[in-house]
Amino acid sequence: MSDGTGPVTGSVQRAGAEWLQYDYASTRLVDDEPRPVTMWRYRALLPVGEGPVRYPLPIGGTPLLPSPALRASLGMPGLWLKDETRGPSASNKDRATALVIEGGLRGGVDTITTASTGNAAISTAFGAAAAGLRAAIFVSTGCRPDKLALMAQAGAWVFRVSAGYAAAVDLSRTAARAFGWLDRNTGANPVTVEAKKTVAFEVWEQLGRRPPDAMVAPVGDGPTLAALDKGFDELVRCGVADRRPRLIGVQADRCQPLVQAWRGGVAGPAQLDPAGTVADGIAVLRPAIGDAVLAAVGRDGGGMVAVDDEALLRAVDALAARAGVGAEPAGAAALAGLHRALEVGLVHRDENVVLLVTGRELKAAGGPGDGRRVRTVDRLDEVEKALADGNDG
Ligand SMILES: Cc1ncc(COP(=O)(O)O)c(C=O)c1O
């Protein structure tokens, strides 16, 4: 290629390859310091003390994508994707992990624990590895083997709890109290909401310091959506926004406790079957801060919608094919939910609407990690014994 555009001045042949040339003598490559935009940009409204940030991985500053092909296909010129799959472990959990670990590093802890449906666990395992902390993760025995492999690969202790996710949460929290560990559990640690609210600040900045008309987000335990509510509320309190967007939460048909609660009903067994949906990340029977989600969507005319697996998988395909964004089913739930929200009149095609794309599956390459650190437990003494046997002080 020799018909250079822009600053290209010509080309030379070097060892059989064509190298484009520029006017090197008069070029100023950069005239300012590189300053990546990260979550710490908003530390004036984060529970972080003075001094340099110690957490070593870059967090936040994810793109807000206009996705023209998706806009055209939906007839929504004001549609945006907030792409949270760009974090170190490819989900929005990385914000919460970072802020919790930052506090832990300042407090001198050596171990962090959480229970998780998968992504928060992977994020915690990766974040702890980067920060030099031990991670003790509690999952249900139904947690997917590929997700377990990623946690093990990052060197985490993984405790599989046969009584399910709620029991895993209880055991993780009990262990945190008993052993003085840093507790990252959603619902137990308000810092997770603080971190995730920075998504609202970023969206507001990326839209030219304006809130969107509506924002759609998947709902599992609830902090992702509740944090949007808090973030946009704080922008109003700071006097830099005059309103909050409508918030719309999305759950899977097969696990929709909050959609039913929103409608004033009670979910039946077929609507409370976490293993029955491909959206494992949002399949939570007892959302830790469900009331906060209901309050958030109840303000400003938002709502809750449920979507079936087919719609979730179509949304995964559409994000890949029309936006170039890879997402897992739970991560694509906002797009699936948008279709439903349009049908029921919760959003309109001429509005500024932001879809929160929350996660993309990581694949475990390389070895299986230390399998001895993956244990099935039901009680605290089994956890203690495993750690002692593992001689992993
Ligand atoms: C990909 C993905 N999206 C959304 C969520 C829901 O987040 P929250 O638990 O904050 O409601 C999760 C939770 O695990 C998730 O993994």
Side-chain angles (χ1 to χ4, degrees), residues 28-95:
R28 264 183 84 142
L29 187 55
V30 286
D31 51 13
D32 57 359
E33 292 291 313
R35 238 176 268 157
V37 173
T38 69
M39 179 180 88
W40 310 112
R41 174 176 178 79
Y42 308 106
R43 67 191 284 181
L45 288 182
L46 291 175
V48 190
E50 297 288 304
V53 170
R54 301 175 197 196
Y55 188 71
L57 298 176
I59 295 296
T62 58
L64 186 71
L65 303 171
S67 300
L70 188 62
R71 284 180 168 184
S73 73
L74 288 164
M76 292 186 70
L79 186 67
W80 300 88
L81 301 179
K82 178 65 172 165
D83 184 4
E84 284 287 285
T85 69
R86 310 296 182 101
S89 78
S91 86
N92 70 331
K93 308 292 176 184
D94 288 328
R95 293 182 193 253

Side-chain angles (χ1 to χ4, degrees), residues 92-93 117 119-120 196 218-224 281-282 328 330-331 358-359:
N92 70 331
K93 308 292 176 184
T117 55
N119 284 338
K196 289 179 172 181
V219 176
D221 267 311
T224 298
I282 53 172
E328 62 185 270
T358 45

Side-chain angles (χ1 to χ4, degrees), residues 67-156:
S67 300
L70 188 62
R71 284 180 168 184
S73 73
L74 288 164
M76 292 186 70
L79 186 67
W80 300 88
L81 301 179
K82 178 65 172 165
D83 184 4
E84 284 287 285
T85 69
R86 310 296 182 101
S89 78
S91 86
N92 70 331
K93 308 292 176 184
D94 288 328
R95 293 182 193 253
T97 296
L99 191 56
V100 173
I101 289 184
E102 178 65 20
L105 291 173
R106 287 165 184 252
V109 303
D110 62 5
T111 303
I112 179 170
T113 186
T114 193
S116 161
T117 55
N119 284 338
I122 293 167
S123 173
T124 303
F126 276 48
L133 299 182
R134 181 171 68 172
I137 307 294
F138 294 78
V139 296
S140 96
T141 40
C143 183
R144 290 187 4 216
D146 51 332
K147 292 196 169 182
L148 284 181
L150 279 162
M151 298 167 211
Q153 195 176 58

Side-chain angles (χ1 to χ4, degrees), residues 189-204:
N189 193 334
V191 167
T192 62
V193 167
E194 293 307 302
K196 289 179 172 181
K197 80 185 180 189
T198 57
V199 171
F201 300 163
E202 286 181 13
V203 165
W204 165 80

